[in-house]
Amino acid sequence: MESLVVISKVKKFIKEKADMNTSSGFFDPLNQDIIKACRDAMNHAQKLGRKTVMGKDFNLYVENSGIEEALVVASKVKKLIKEEAALSTSAQAIDQLTVRVQTVCLKAIENAKADKRKTVMDRDFTAPTTLTV
């Protein structure tokens, strides 16, 4: 599966938030988490009989997210949702996925700092469903 995450923007986000580097291994678990979140949201929308995946279909929902720059590739997210469930995707869904990526990155930064490292790695990944937001 191709990456749904904008790797350069995620690296930039981590660099700006903590002046840390990001190993390439961090992006596979992050991408897999985004795919799973999309699939869960598709199932939720379908159970409610909707034809559009909305922001509120994601289990990590933030009201008024205020996202300025998406950290996921909107066209690839929309393609995944269209191909797998024949559903449309609202713009708010992209915002919620970006919130998810930001949440994962912030927790990963904490984990790397706790290990006294300057590089965020795959072992720092924690699924947002286990986080308190």
Side-chain angles (χ1 to χ4, degrees):
M1 167 71 52
E2 60 188 330
S3 181
L4 302 181
V5 179
V6 183
I7 293 171
S8 62
K9 289 183 181 181
V10 172
K11 284 184 175 191
K12 180 182 172 194
F13 178 83
I14 291 171
K15 189 62 130 173
E16 288 176 354
K17 291 294 180 185
D19 194 28
M20 298 179 90
N21 296 316
T22 312
S23 76
S24 60
F26 178 71
F27 295 101
D28 185 51
L30 180 59
N31 192 58
Q32 293 305 316
D33 181 70
I34 295 302
I35 292 168
K36 182 183 181 318
C38 287
R39 289 179 176 149
D40 291 346
M42 287 182 247
N43 289 333
H44 187 259
Q46 288 174 323
K47 284 179 185 174
L48 295 175
R50 280 194 271 106
K51 295 183 180 186
T52 302
V53 173
M54 303 169 76
K56 62 186 176 183
D57 291 316
F58 292 89
N59 67 339
L60 179 67
Y61 179 76
V62 176
E63 191 76 38
N64 300 322
S65 61
I67 298 300
E68 293 179 20
E69 184 174 45
L71 298 180
V72 295
V73 183
S75 61
K76 291 181 182 181
V77 169
K78 290 178 179 186
K79 179 181 174 189
L80 173 75
I81 291 171
K82 181 63 84 181
E83 287 179 354
E84 288 195 11
L87 297 172
S88 297
T89 307
S90 75
Q92 190 186 38
I94 304 305
D95 288 352
Q96 294 304 313
L97 287 170
T98 294
V99 167
R100 186 178 192 90
V101 171
Q102 290 175 340
T103 302
V104 167
C105 290
L106 293 172
K107 181 60 178 170
I109 288 167
E110 286 178 27
N111 293 344
K113 283 182 178 179
D115 284 350
K116 297 179 176 39
R117 284 184 280 105
K118 293 286 289 172
T119 301
V120 174
M121 305 171 83
D122 56 338
R123 64 182 174 206
D124 298 315
F125 173 85
T126 305
T129 55
T130 63
L131 299 177
T132 54
V133 182

